[in-house]
């Protein structure tokens, strides 16, 4: 989007690192962008112990997946341009205090019909992505996908655990996608070796609860 660079620059020092809207001149879109930014400001104050509230730009996938379903999940979680469509979005990353730990959050607002269609497509991609492998030959990168249980996170919630090796090193990613009204919530909690599912659930429940209000 044409306004992305300007928005990201203005927000670099604050709790919302990057965001935009496909309709920058519309009052409704502007109000929705302000709502999403406000959600992240609130979330920054409620992060689990060990996470920094000083955010960075949205999550960048650690590799390009060979499988299209897996790549769709990566792109959506990172708020990639091709996945924003006609929506309004914000994306940030919060660093954690464990080795390589981070929490990437993307919130996107659509019409109710478009939001439901996108969540349905993500659910299909989650079922189709069994092993996330790099598209580059000769790299020791392969993450096996399995279920991830999050207690009381909500009805329209899908969560997966990706675990294996990234460039030969043990690595784990928790991915959570949720539909809260017309807001699509995406969360990535990643790190070297083990990632605490309890911390993943805490962030997810807080995000989903705020977005649903």
């Amino acid at each position: 989007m044409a306004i992305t660079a300007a928005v990201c620059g203005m927000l670099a020092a604050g709790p919302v690192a990057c965001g935009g809207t496909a309709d920058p001149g519309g009052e409704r879109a502007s109000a929705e962008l302000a709502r999403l930014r406000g959600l992240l400001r609130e979330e920054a104050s409620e992060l689990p112990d060990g996470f920094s509230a000083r955010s960075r730009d949205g999550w960048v996938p650690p590799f390009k997946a060979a499988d299209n379903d897996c790549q769709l999940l990566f792109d959506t979680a990172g708020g990639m341009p091709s996945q924003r469509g006609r929506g309004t979005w914000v994306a940030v990353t919060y660093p954690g205090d464990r080795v390589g730990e981070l929490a990437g959050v993307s919130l996107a607002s659509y019409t109710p019909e478009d939001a439901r269609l996108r969540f349905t497509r993500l659910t299909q991609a989650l079922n189709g992505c069994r092993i996330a492998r790099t598209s580059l030959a000769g790299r020791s990168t392969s993450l096996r996908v399995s279920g991830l249980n999050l207690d009381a996170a909500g009805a329209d919630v899908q969560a997966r655990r990706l675990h294996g090796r990234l460039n030969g090193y043990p690595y784990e990613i928790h991915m959570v996608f949720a539909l809260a009204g017309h807001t699509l919530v995406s969360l990535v909690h990643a790190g070297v070796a083990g990632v605490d599912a309890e911390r993943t659930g805490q962030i997810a429940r807080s995000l989903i609860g705020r977005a649903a209000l």
Side-chain angles (χ1 to χ4, degrees):
M1 298 178 189
I3 65 168
T4 299
V7 172
C8 291
M10 287 187 295
L11 297 174
V16 180
C18 196
T21 173
D23 184 20
E27 292 184 5
R28 181 176 298 179
S30 297
E32 193 64 10
L33 181 57
R35 180 183 75 89
L36 296 181
R37 290 174 179 170
L39 291 177
L40 288 189
R41 281 193 293 270
E42 294 172 2
E43 183 63 25
S45 65
E46 299 294 334
L47 291 168
D49 290 342
F51 279 98
S52 172
R54 185 172 180 80
S55 62
R56 302 173 182 172
D57 287 347
W59 181 69
V60 177
F63 60 91
K64 181 174 177 59
D67 180 88
N68 289 335
D69 282 333
C70 297
Q71 188 60 40
L72 175 62
L73 303 178
F74 283 179
D75 287 347
T76 302
M80 297 294 106
S82 62
Q83 301 308 316
R84 295 169 194 158
R86 296 294 300 173
T88 300
W89 61 276
V90 291
V92 298
T93 301
Y94 301 105
D97 60 355
R98 304 181 184 184
V99 179
E101 186 179 29
L102 57 83
V105 174
S106 175
L107 302 176
S109 174
Y110 303 100
T111 64
E113 296 80 7
D114 196 13
R116 174 58 63 181
L117 287 173
R118 288 173 179 271
F119 184 71
T120 299
R121 177 66 188 97
L122 281 172
T123 300
Q124 294 169 346
L126 284 164
N127 292 331
C129 178
R130 304 298 178 86
I131 299 178
R133 294 189 176 95
T134 179
S135 60
L136 300 177
R139 295 289 184 92
S140 180
T141 293
S142 179
L143 303 177
R144 184 172 295 277
V145 182
S146 59
L148 178 65
N149 293 324
L150 300 178
D151 294 336
D156 286 329
V157 179
Q158 296 284 346
R160 297 292 189 274
R161 175 178 180 258
L162 287 71
H163 181 262
R165 292 196 170 269
L166 175 63
N167 295 328
Y169 294 94
Y171 200 70
E172 185 170 338
I173 301 175
H174 294 171
M175 279 191 169
V176 183
F177 299 99
L179 186 60
H182 61 282
T183 303
L184 184 62
V185 178
S186 304
L187 167 66
V188 170
H189 183 198
V192 175
V195 174
D196 189 346
E198 185 174 343
R199 285 155 73 88
T200 303
Q202 184 176 341
I203 300 172
R205 286 188 292 272
S206 177
L207 279 170
I208 296 167
R210 294 180 193 281
L213 295 177

